[in-house]
Amino acid sequence: EAIRREGAALEHASEELKNNVHIVLEAVRTDGTALQFASAGLRADREIVLEAVQRNGFALQFASDRLRNDAGVVVEAVRSEWTALKHASEELRANRRVVMAAVCVNGMALAFAREHLNDDRELVLEAVRRDGSALRHASPRLTMDLEVVREAVQQNGLALEHASATLRAERELVLEAVRRDVSALRFAAPSITADREVVLEAVRICGVALEYADAALQADRELVLAAVGQDWGALRHASAALREDWEVALAALAGSAWAVELVGPTLCGDAEFMSEAARRDWTVLRHAGLEARACRAVMLEGIGRSEAALELAADSLRGDRSFVLEAVRRNPLVLAVASVEMRADREVVLAAVQGDGSALQHAAVELRADREVVKAAVRQDPTALRYASEGLRDDSALVRLSLRPVADAVLD
């Protein structure tokens, strides 16, 4: 009963039961690999071994030498598990019919065939159609065979790695490989990685394929723009000169703010460029260097897009009163992330609430009790009264002001 539930339970059976045909058959029907626990005599029993390998091809390794040299048994094993071919006898690994049965399941079974079969064109063709990477096990003669290699790269572009040097310089063949897997470009001959048309097609599929291009093409502006437009990370592989190019850098930044880390150092230190980058996407500041985060123009551009940008500013700017004053005029909600000192600065808070009354909620406690500050906030946004101190929330004049229509309050 235990063996019916789990064939491996045969391991703990008595020697008598391990030699019992019916018990062992029951075990291998449940788990083919239970064959390893059968007696030597039953591991040489064709019926039992066939049952085992049909359930699990790996069981072939536990069969007797005679049965590992039985073509019928081995074919059944490789149909169940192609890697079982490595447990077949030397004679059968040289047997074309047996090896063909294995490669029809998985082309990589060619790895376990005897060497002379690696030069069998029909066999190798079948193998690479199943798995292009089986080309690595083909004979040198067949790695120079255009039809064989084409079949391989059509199944797996990376099989180009195992083609002959001559075929890795075949333009159309490389294009087929690249269309299947763009990374195949790295295995192409230098004449191909310097071919603009081939590389352009590759980077349009996957921008970072620029990595495998000839240095001259990594300096080709149009090609690099195509690459970073497809994947901003391609900027990493552009020439140093193009990483300092405004248009190229901005095209990469359009893909991700992280691209700022790949932009050339001179451009990163250019206030005008960084301001433009921050205007397009303030999050570039999260990846910008200290020089950019200490630049007023750059940070004000980012703050204009999001108050959170102030948190990215250098300490020298966060503590600069004139800068923070300009920042709250551009984006009143910057007050929310300003320092305690700035939120307690009357002029800074007044400037903020005049732009957005709700900014009052971020002012220091004493300024939320300042009637002039609260009045300015309520004029801009009547609902801002709720952020005033308890005493001013009951101020009759301020209450009346808060009850007026917003348009009238603004015009007051």
Side-chain angles (χ1 to χ4, degrees), residues 82-101:
W82 63 271
T83 60
L85 184 61
K86 67 183 175 182
H87 302 298
S89 66
E90 288 287 311
E91 183 181 337
L92 290 186
R93 287 194 285 119
N95 183 299
R96 191 176 188 280
R97 183 175 74 86
V98 170
V99 174
M100 182 65 84

Side-chain angles (χ1 to χ4, degrees), residues 100-152:
M100 182 65 84
V103 300
C104 282
V105 176
N106 189 304
M108 288 300 289
L110 190 62
F112 305 122
R114 294 299 298 272
E115 191 174 347
H116 75 278
L117 290 179
N118 295 346
D119 194 46
D120 182 313
R121 192 171 188 276
E122 184 184 355
L123 186 65
V124 172
L125 268 171
E126 188 60 41
V128 298
R129 283 172 183 148
R130 303 282 175 167
D131 187 335
S133 56
L135 185 64
R136 74 178 63 189
H137 303 298
S139 67
R141 180 181 73 88
L142 292 180
T143 63
M144 295 188 286
D145 185 307
L146 181 59
E147 183 185 355
V148 171
V149 175
R150 178 174 286 116
E151 289 285 350

Side-chain angles (χ1 to χ4, degrees), residues 76-370:
E76 288 299 321
V78 298
R79 283 175 178 162
S80 168
E81 172 51 57
W82 63 271
T83 60
L85 184 61
K86 67 183 175 182
H87 302 298
S89 66
E90 288 287 311
E91 183 181 337
L92 290 186
R93 287 194 285 119
N95 183 299
R96 191 176 188 280
R97 183 175 74 86
V98 170
V99 174
M100 182 65 84
V103 300
C104 282
V105 176
N106 189 304
M108 288 300 289
L110 190 62
F112 305 122
R114 294 299 298 272
E115 191 174 347
H116 75 278
L117 290 179
N118 295 346
D119 194 46
D120 182 313
R121 192 171 188 276
E122 184 184 355
L123 186 65
V124 172
L125 268 171
E126 188 60 41
V128 298
R129 283 172 183 148
R130 303 282 175 167
D131 187 335
S133 56
L135 185 64
R136 74 178 63 189
H137 303 298
S139 67
R141 180 181 73 88
L142 292 180
T143 63
M144 295 188 286
D145 185 307
L146 181 59
E147 183 185 355
V148 171
V149 175
R150 178 174 286 116
E151 289 285 350
V153 301
Q154 285 176 344
Q155 200 285 324
N156 182 344
L158 296 181
L160 184 66
E161 177 183 7
H162 309 295
S164 67
T166 301
L167 291 185
R168 285 188 280 116
E170 281 289 328
R171 193 169 184 275
E172 292 307 314
L173 181 69
V174 173
L175 275 171
E176 283 191 61
V178 165
R179 286 167 188 152
R180 187 67 179 168
D181 188 323
V182 74
S183 298
L185 186 63
R186 71 179 184 266
F187 303 123
S191 61
I192 301 298
T193 58
D195 185 312
R196 192 175 189 278
E197 187 178 342
V198 172
V199 175
L200 188 56
E201 180 161 348
V203 300
R204 283 173 175 161
I205 297 170
C206 178
V208 292
L210 183 65
E211 175 182 2
Y212 311 121
D214 182 82
L217 293 181
Q218 291 176 339
D220 182 312
R221 194 167 184 276
E222 182 186 356
L223 192 145
V224 171
L225 276 170
V228 300
Q230 199 287 322
D231 186 326
W232 62 270
L235 186 60
R236 183 187 309 278
H237 309 297
S239 66
L242 287 182
R243 285 190 288 113
E244 298 283 3
D245 183 289
W246 264 65
E247 187 181 357
V248 170
L250 289 175
L253 287 168
S256 171
W258 283 94
V260 76
E261 296 187 354
L262 306 176
V263 173
T266 303
L267 205 52
C268 271
D270 186 307
E272 188 179 356
F273 170 78
M274 289 304 296
S275 295
E276 177 62 20
R279 185 186 68 77
R280 295 184 181 206
D281 182 354
W282 72 271
T283 63
V284 300
L285 300 174
R286 290 176 177 161
H287 316 290
L290 183 59
E291 186 177 358
R293 291 185 290 110
C295 178
R296 293 175 71 97
V298 172
M299 294 312 301
L300 286 173
E301 200 63 66
I303 286 165
R305 297 293 175 269
S306 172
E307 60 274 13
L310 180 63
E311 295 182 288
L312 304 173
D315 291 343
S316 58
L317 287 183
R318 286 176 60 81
D320 184 321
R321 185 174 179 276
S322 65
F323 172 76
V324 176
L325 194 56
E326 178 61 28
V328 297
R329 285 173 180 152
R330 290 201 180 201
N331 186 341
L333 295 182
V334 160
L335 193 63
V337 293
S339 66
V340 172
E341 293 75 18
M342 295 302 170
R343 285 187 280 121
D345 186 297
R346 194 169 187 275
E347 187 180 358
V348 169
V349 172
L350 264 174
V353 300
Q354 285 167 353
D356 186 332
S358 69
L360 181 64
Q361 65 188 297
H362 306 299
V365 173
E366 61 270 24
L367 291 180
R368 285 189 276 123
D370 183 309

